[in-house]
């Protein structure tokens, strides 16, 4: 394993943060798989899962069983890790700008397309190589323009990951069952990841809006395909994985999750081993079919349902009680499907999003991600 440390320039006098990437296997070998956790720095389940994965990779490497290349960024957001206020970690957004650390990644397709214009031929593998090199150059150019630690950090991660075959971004939700997000480009990889991780649902969308980290890797290939046609393969599989809820942090869970990630690495050929998927495939449902449930009033939130339950449209999932008027209003499912997540907080404001139900019917279009 070779560690690579990048020092961020530092926004305030006397401060400097760093990112570390741990490289396993053969530099430049394929497939290249990139894993990171903690981009939202208050989400520890994925961070702990990678801590359990690293010794497995150490052992595989010692036995010469990593023919591909595996990059692991164990903590992707040192800025967020240091942000505590009101005695709580605030890892989702940068405190200075309120910018979500997992939004606003750059559009790379235009620049990369200009770089490969006229160079693509009939060999998809050769075209993929040209496009990857162009994407690396495009990231380097925009990274050279970074003016804050937050942007420099985002682009440092992207510089490590942009030419990978597989990119896994480990997050968690508030209260949730295991689920993941992916593009429709490589459904076999989505199925493999579901079978390895035990995801209960895969939420599928080609462009979700917001330019999240996962789509920074898949949207360029989609847009280049729109520009150049079939010469452009689906060159990267990328997924945001939600490792259950904020408090689902234990060594037992993380050890199981690390074993699942090893099964994925074996399944894509980056690692040689006997780790196998232990779960059935999950339904692949449209992200736009994830129905959102809103608070009917402000007050105390109580739940009658739990993540993982199948619910029907109109079903009472819980209640919000206004302690002053003593009015108790039901929280009703707006669609039929899998209740896969609930908000963490036990108090709410009127109109806040409280839960999501994954269904088959598309309900929403446009910008599909939460803030
Ligand atoms: Zn997250």
């Amino acid at each position: 394993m070779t560690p690579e440390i990048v020092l961020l320039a530092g926004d305030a006098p006397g401060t400097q943060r760093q990112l570390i990437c741990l490289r396993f296997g053969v530099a430049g070998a394929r497939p290249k798989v990139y894993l990171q956790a903690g981009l939202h720095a208050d989400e520890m389940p994925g961070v702990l899962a990678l801590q359990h994965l690293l010794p497995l990779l150490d052992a595989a490497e010692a036995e010469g069983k990593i023919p591909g290349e595996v990059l692991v960024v164990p903590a992707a957001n040192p800025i967020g890790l240091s942000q505590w206020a009101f005695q709580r970690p605030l890892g989702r957004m940068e405190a200075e700008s309120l910018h979500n650390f997992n939004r606003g990644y750059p559009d790379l397709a235009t620049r990369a397309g200009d770089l490969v214009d006229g160079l693509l031929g009939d060999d998809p593998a050769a075209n993929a190589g040209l496009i990857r090199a162009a994407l690396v150059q495009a990231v380097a150019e925009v990274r050279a323009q970074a003016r804050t630690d937050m942007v420099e950090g985002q682009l440092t991660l992207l510089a490590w990951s942009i030419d990978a075959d597989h990119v896994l971004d480990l997050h968690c939700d508030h209260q949730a069952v295991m689920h993941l997000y992916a593009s429709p480009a490589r459904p076999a990889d989505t199925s493999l990841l579901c079978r390895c991780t035990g995801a209960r649902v895969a939420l599928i969308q080609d462009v979700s809006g917001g330019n999240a980290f996962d789509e920074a890797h898949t949207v360029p290939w989609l847009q280049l395909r729109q520009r150049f046609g079939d010469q452009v393969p689906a060159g990267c599989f990328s997924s945001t994985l939600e490792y259950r809820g904020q408090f689902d942090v234990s060594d037992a869970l993380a050890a199981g999750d690390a074993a699942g990630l090893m099964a994925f690495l074996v399944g894509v050929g980056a690692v040689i081993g006997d780790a196998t998927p232990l779960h059935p495939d999950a339904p692949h449902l449209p992200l736009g079919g994830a129905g959102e449930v809103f608070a009917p009033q402000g007050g105390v939130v109580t739940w009658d349902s739990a993540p993982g339950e199948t619910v029907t449209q109109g079903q009472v999932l819980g209640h919000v009680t206004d302690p002053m008027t003593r009015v108790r209003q039901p929280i009703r499912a707006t669609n039929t499907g899998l209740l896969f997540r609930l908000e963490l907080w036990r108090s709410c404001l009127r109109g806040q999003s409280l839960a999501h139900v994954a269904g088959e019917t598309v309900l929403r279009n446009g910008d599909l991600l939460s803030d």
Side-chain angles (χ1 to χ4, degrees), residues 292-293 311-317 331-336 357:
E292 208 165 2
V293 179
V311 301
T312 55
Q313 186 175 11
Q315 180 177 333
V316 175
L317 305 177
I331 304 166
R332 293 187 184 275
T334 52
N335 61 327
T336 295
V357 175

Side-chain angles (χ1 to χ4, degrees), residues 16 89 95 104 115 194 204 213 226 255 297 301 369:
Q16 190 157 46
L115 287 168
C194 287
I204 308 298
F213 182 80
Q226 290 166 348
Q297 63 180 1
V301 180
L369 300 179

Side-chain angles (χ1 to χ4, degrees), residues 165-221:
D165 298 272
H166 300 86
V167 173
L168 303 184
D169 189 16
L170 279 59
H171 289 245
C172 74
D173 210 309
H174 280 205
Q175 304 176 72
V177 290
M178 179 79 210
H179 61 284
L180 61 85
Y181 299 82
S183 89
R186 288 168 55 162
D189 282 335
T190 304
S191 291
L192 175 65
L193 192 58
C194 287
R195 294 194 297 121
C196 291
T197 60
R200 293 285 306 279
V201 61
L203 296 162
I204 308 298
Q205 185 69 31
D206 51 2
V207 183
S208 305
N211 295 334
F213 182 80
D214 59 351
E215 290 189 1
H217 301 82
T218 52
V219 171
W221 294 90

